[in-house]
Amino acid sequence: MEKKFRPVAVNVENLYVEIEGKTILEDINLKIYRGEIVAVVGPNGGGKTTFLKTLLGLINPTRGRVEIFRKPPKEAVKGHLVGYLPQKVNFKRESCLSALDVVLLGLWYKDLPKEEKVKRALQTMERFGVGHLAGERFSNLSGGQQQRVNLARAVVGEPKLLLLDEPTTGIDFPGQQSFYELIKALRDEKGFTVIMVTHDVGVVWRYVDKAVCINRRLHYHGEPQAVLRPEILKLVYETDVVPLFHQH
Ligand SMILES: Nc1ncnc2c1ncn2[C@@H]1O[C@H](COP(=O)(O)OP(=O)(O)O)[C@@H](O)[C@H]1O
Ligand SMILES: [Mg+2]
């Protein structure tokens, strides 16, 4: 669809966030259109997680405007329009939650019979290649399996916007690729909008429509091939060591 006819999913204007007197985000302006997959990159401490939390209404802007589907973030979240996969999902190691229990958490608010919830949860798990693990203890799964289960929890309620904070941390390179392929396939199928924080700059450019660099300010945004270039990453990450681009 032509961009100009596409509805705006996320609108950020002149956003400032201060925490304890420190400016974390400064004058961020950004529009994300419905159905886009956007990668957010930038150095640690650059404010990426803070940015996602602002979109979730967990952090209030000091100044500026944030709209999710033309609503204030808190309203969008209340209406279950937003799915979130936090940077760290902490279930206690000794927790006896099964993988299925974790996915069911994503449906807690739905007024559906238990059997229907289980059916939907299992369908989503199948789709993500973790259906056979439904009865396993979540804490016994590998990092990659846990992330697929967590992703299933975030999408099982069919949100319109999915926010993923470093979803492939601890996952090997082939695992990263298949994770991003899954995200892209889901977007193509369901048409939802995805914003994901990532350091996999050598991989994600194949899967995203737009890339954004955040280091307090929004530095670059646009086509991933244009943004995720070594010379730009050097500037944004303030280092000479930039990740290799995987060409295969
Ligand atoms: N709750 C908080 N209290 C104080 N400082 C915070 C808080 N959350 C984030 N910060 C600070 O905001 C900055 C950006 O953090 P964060 O958004 O987590 O960055 P990133 O996700 O890009 O690594 C850091 O300097 C961090 O110390
Ligand atoms: Mg972070």
Side-chain angles (χ1 to χ4, degrees), residues 19-20 22 24 43-51 87:
I19 299 177
E20 292 166 0
K22 196 172 141 205
I24 310 294
N44 285 329
K48 305 180 298 297
T49 296
T50 303
F51 180 63
Q87 190 167 355

Side-chain angles (χ1 to χ4, degrees), residues 77-227:
V77 169
K78 234 178 166 176
H80 306 288
L81 299 177
V82 190
Y84 177 44
L85 186 52
Q87 190 167 355
K88 290 191 190 78
V89 182
N90 288 321
F91 293 109
K92 286 207 176 90
R93 252 214 92 70
E94 60 275 24
S95 148
C96 14
L97 286 185
S98 70
L100 175 62
D101 292 332
V102 170
V103 179
L104 284 169
L105 290 174
L107 290 171
W108 68 270
Y109 61 89
K110 294 252 186 202
D111 189 18
L112 291 170
K114 180 79 195 277
E115 310 82 73
E116 179 59 27
K117 289 187 180 183
V118 170
K119 195 174 129 209
R120 289 192 192 185
L122 287 172
Q123 271 171 355
T124 309
M125 293 180 84
E126 286 296 333
R127 180 76 181 71
F128 290 12
V130 288
H132 62 295
L133 301 171
E136 298 286 324
R137 257 193 193 206
F138 179 80
S139 59
N140 288 343
L141 305 182
S142 74
Q145 291 168 336
Q146 288 190 348
Q147 273 316 61
R148 281 170 179 259
V149 171
N150 279 325
L151 182 66
R153 176 184 51 74
V155 306
V156 70
E158 310 224 321
K160 291 191 183 317
L161 172 67
L162 194 54
L163 304 178
L164 310 174
D165 201 346
E166 303 197 21
T168 62
T169 304
I171 300 180
D172 60 17
F173 174 58
Q176 291 175 4
Q177 279 186 308
S178 62
F179 187 88
Y180 293 128
E181 267 157 26
L182 178 59
I183 297 282
K184 197 158 190 273
L186 280 171
R187 186 279 308 269
D188 293 345
E189 213 174 281
K190 312 268 187 202
F192 54 39
T193 310
V194 184
I195 304 177
M196 54 188 179
V197 174
T198 174
H199 294 294
D200 310 332
V201 290
V203 182
V204 287
W205 62 275
R206 287 177 182 281
Y207 303 101
V208 302
D209 303 299
K210 195 187 258 180
V212 173
C213 295
I214 294 181
N215 187 5
R216 193 158 60 110
R217 285 175 160 269
L218 189 148
H219 285 266
Y220 299 91
H221 74 283
E223 300 274 318
Q225 292 93 326
V227 174

Side-chain angles (χ1 to χ4, degrees), residues 220-234:
Y220 299 91
H221 74 283
E223 300 274 318
Q225 292 93 326
V227 174
L228 301 174
R229 287 204 318 264
E231 57 271 33
I232 290 182
L233 296 172
K234 266 186 206 171

